[in-house]
Amino acid sequence: MRQYLSQKVVHISPPQFLALSFAVIILLGTLLLKLPFATTAPLLWIDALFTAASATTVTGLVVVDTGGTFTVFGQVVIMVLIQIGGLGLMTFAVLIFIIFGKKIGLKQRLIVQEALNATSIGGLIRLIRTLSIFALFIEGIASLILAIQWVPEYGWAFGLYTSLFHAVSAFNNAGFSLWDDSLTQYVGHPLINIVISVCFIIGGIGFTVIADLAGKRKFKNLSLHSKLMITGTFTVNIIVMLCFFLLEFNNSASIGNLPLNEKMWASYFQAVTPRTAGFNSVEIGELRQDTIMIMILLMFIGAGSGSTGSGIKLTTFLVMVLACIAFLKGQEEPVVFKRAIRQHTILRALSIIVISLLFIFMSLFVLLLTEKVPFLIVLFEAVSAFGTVGLSMGLTPELTDIGKQIIILMMFIGRVGPLTLAFTIAKPKRSAIRYPADDIFTG
């Protein structure tokens, strides 16, 4: 009998468990948001599901006004979903195990490895403990600093609550705001711009990079991944900031009528937010089309591996750029910071990009059938959902029910898919059979 039951046990792989855990949290969040005291007015099931999925996948796309539709209870549910989605369900599970002194087995460590996109299980539990404390510390400090602005503006209770909500949303790269216009009223406010952006940059650079910086401190001693993430993040942010400033300088619908200092703040904020943060300080729908195309590329690239953000990941993009440069130079392998990039890393990066483009193409095709809006707006929405960014040109609240379901699926795939696909592809399957090589004409 025992043997029969053991044969019937369904063995779930770490990627499958990770996807299932996100699905369960989304469903639980949907049920909580449908409670009568969670909203100020009746909420459709599809809108509750959309909001729960957007919060859990730390996207930030909204079909209803977060501050106006949900009560404090509903907003707290959203904030908890953001925290769980950003740090990961397994992070919280491991913390509970640690608190109660339970042993963490190999299977749990493998799931944690999948969730953090780590290359090995060594030191994962210590990493989780450190990063959880670090996350709470950053969110706490950010809340206190934001309170300097919002407590005098809104009073102690709502001011502190607003500060905490936006600090949690920012660090986890969720982009949820209690105002329907996000942070546009603070477009030139230095404190709000700096605190919010620093939170989502830290959250989006990747937990492994943070741990590496804390342990080694000097740049030359960092791992190749950390060096690429730091230099890549800095370079991309500077280039995009300059591009945004120059392209939108005379656009009266965005920053054209702002003073020079506010133009600079707006350019900086919009340069760093598309890589999965989701906040905006100018109306996205009023930007020039060339600016929108730059933002679409940034949303597709996304944040860092093992971070609170999604997308194909900045290092994936950089690996492919370096591989192309190496090919054009006739080099056998890409070299950066005096380190060669392995062939299987290039193949994994290529696979992630191709699969991601296929998902975006399929969702884009369906959305073009269901949503009667211009192509660029639909493309922006699809990539924003896949990259779990949360920026919108105004289409989200107007989506049809089918459109909402497609965006929900894309948010789910964007948060879970790249991780599971990356590790599934990266697992080598050796064969004893070797076949002769042949040439295929390309290009």
Side-chain angles (χ1 to χ4, degrees), residues 42-273:
L43 185 68
L44 297 174
W45 277 104
I46 185 65
D47 292 341
L49 176 62
F50 191 101
T51 305
S54 183
T56 306
T57 59
V58 293
T59 302
L61 288 173
V62 293
V63 288
V64 293
D65 177 23
T66 305
T69 303
F70 297 99
T71 62
V72 173
F73 173 82
Q75 293 167 12
V76 169
V77 169
I78 291 173
M79 186 164 56
V80 171
L81 291 176
I82 290 171
Q83 192 73 282
I84 293 175
L87 296 182
L89 178 62
M90 283 309 300
T91 300
F92 286 90
V94 168
L95 286 176
I96 293 172
F97 272 57
I98 293 173
I99 292 171
F100 288 97
K102 301 292 184 180
K103 185 178 180 181
I104 302 170
L106 177 61
K107 186 172 183 179
Q108 288 76 26
R109 293 171 187 264
L110 290 173
I111 296 172
V112 172
Q113 178 189 3
E114 187 73 29
L116 292 179
N117 206 6
T119 55
S120 68
I121 62 175
L124 279 180
I125 306 307
R126 183 174 63 255
L127 177 63
I128 280 185
R129 186 191 295 112
T130 303
L131 290 177
S132 298
I133 296 172
F134 176 78
L136 295 176
F137 175 77
I138 293 296
E139 291 171 354
I141 293 297
S143 299
L144 293 176
I145 299 175
L146 291 173
I148 296 173
Q149 169 65 28
W150 285 332
V151 165
E153 191 172 347
Y154 297 109
W156 279 101
F158 189 70
L160 288 173
Y161 169 69
T162 301
S163 301
L164 176 63
F165 186 94
H166 286 84
V168 171
S169 181
F171 179 79
N172 291 287
N173 279 241
F176 273 87
S177 177
L178 296 178
W179 302 291
D180 58 359
D181 60 353
S182 192
L183 299 176
T184 55
Q185 57 187 309
Y186 300 102
V187 60
H189 199 292
L191 185 143
I192 303 299
N193 277 273
I194 292 173
V195 175
I196 295 294
S197 62
V198 167
C199 279
F200 62 65
I201 289 173
I202 292 175
I205 202 168
F207 298 145
T208 51
V209 177
I210 295 171
D212 201 18
L213 283 169
K216 297 176 182 175
R217 301 181 185 277
K218 292 185 178 180
F219 183 82
K220 65 178 182 179
N221 297 329
L222 297 177
S223 66
L224 178 59
H225 171 80
S226 297
K227 290 178 179 178
L228 273 179
M229 271 304 305
I230 294 171
T231 55
T233 298
F234 181 79
T235 304
V236 169
N237 289 346
I238 293 297
I239 292 174
V240 176
M241 177 183 172
L242 292 175
C243 289
F244 187 96
F245 180 79
L246 294 174
L247 291 173
E248 297 293 326
F249 189 87
N250 293 319
N251 183 2
S252 59
S254 59
I255 67 172
N257 295 330
L258 297 177
L260 181 60
N261 66 316
E262 293 190 6
K263 285 181 179 181
M264 294 298 294
W265 281 118
S267 300
Y268 160 74
F269 198 83
Q270 264 58 233
V272 296
T273 195

Side-chain angles (χ1 to χ4, degrees), residues 347 350 409:
L347 291 175
L350 177 62
L409 181 61

Side-chain angles (χ1 to χ4, degrees), residues 216-375:
K216 297 176 182 175
R217 301 181 185 277
K218 292 185 178 180
F219 183 82
K220 65 178 182 179
N221 297 329
L222 297 177
S223 66
L224 178 59
H225 171 80
S226 297
K227 290 178 179 178
L228 273 179
M229 271 304 305
I230 294 171
T231 55
T233 298
F234 181 79
T235 304
V236 169
N237 289 346
I238 293 297
I239 292 174
V240 176
M241 177 183 172
L242 292 175
C243 289
F244 187 96
F245 180 79
L246 294 174
L247 291 173
E248 297 293 326
F249 189 87
N250 293 319
N251 183 2
S252 59
S254 59
I255 67 172
N257 295 330
L258 297 177
L260 181 60
N261 66 316
E262 293 190 6
K263 285 181 179 181
M264 294 298 294
W265 281 118
S267 300
Y268 160 74
F269 198 83
Q270 264 58 233
V272 296
T273 195
R275 294 193 31 241
T276 84
F279 290 102
N280 59 283
S281 60
V282 299
E283 289 295 334
I284 301 299
E286 301 296 334
L287 299 178
R288 293 162 49 99
Q289 291 190 2
D290 39 19
T291 307
I292 290 294
M293 286 304 301
I294 293 176
M295 297 185 81
I296 289 174
L297 175 61
L298 291 176
M299 293 191 298
F300 179 69
I301 292 172
S305 295
S307 70
T308 57
S310 298
I312 63 169
K313 303 297 188 300
L314 179 59
T315 44
T316 302
F317 174 75
L318 293 177
V319 164
M320 291 312 303
V321 170
L322 292 169
C324 290
I325 293 174
F327 174 78
L328 293 175
K329 288 184 175 181
Q331 299 174 342
E332 293 186 0
E333 53 189 6
V335 177
V336 60
F337 293 113
K338 299 181 180 181
R339 293 290 185 273
I341 300 176
R342 296 186 179 93
Q343 191 69 25
H344 84 274
T345 303
I346 299 172
L347 291 175
R348 182 177 63 189
L350 177 62
S351 301
I352 292 171
I353 292 174
V354 170
I355 294 171
S356 299
L357 288 173
L358 287 175
F359 276 124
I360 291 173
F361 175 83
M362 289 186 290
S363 67
L364 182 61
F365 180 79
V366 177
L367 288 172
L368 286 171
L369 293 175
T370 60
E371 316 303 317
K372 306 305 178 183
V373 293
F375 173 81

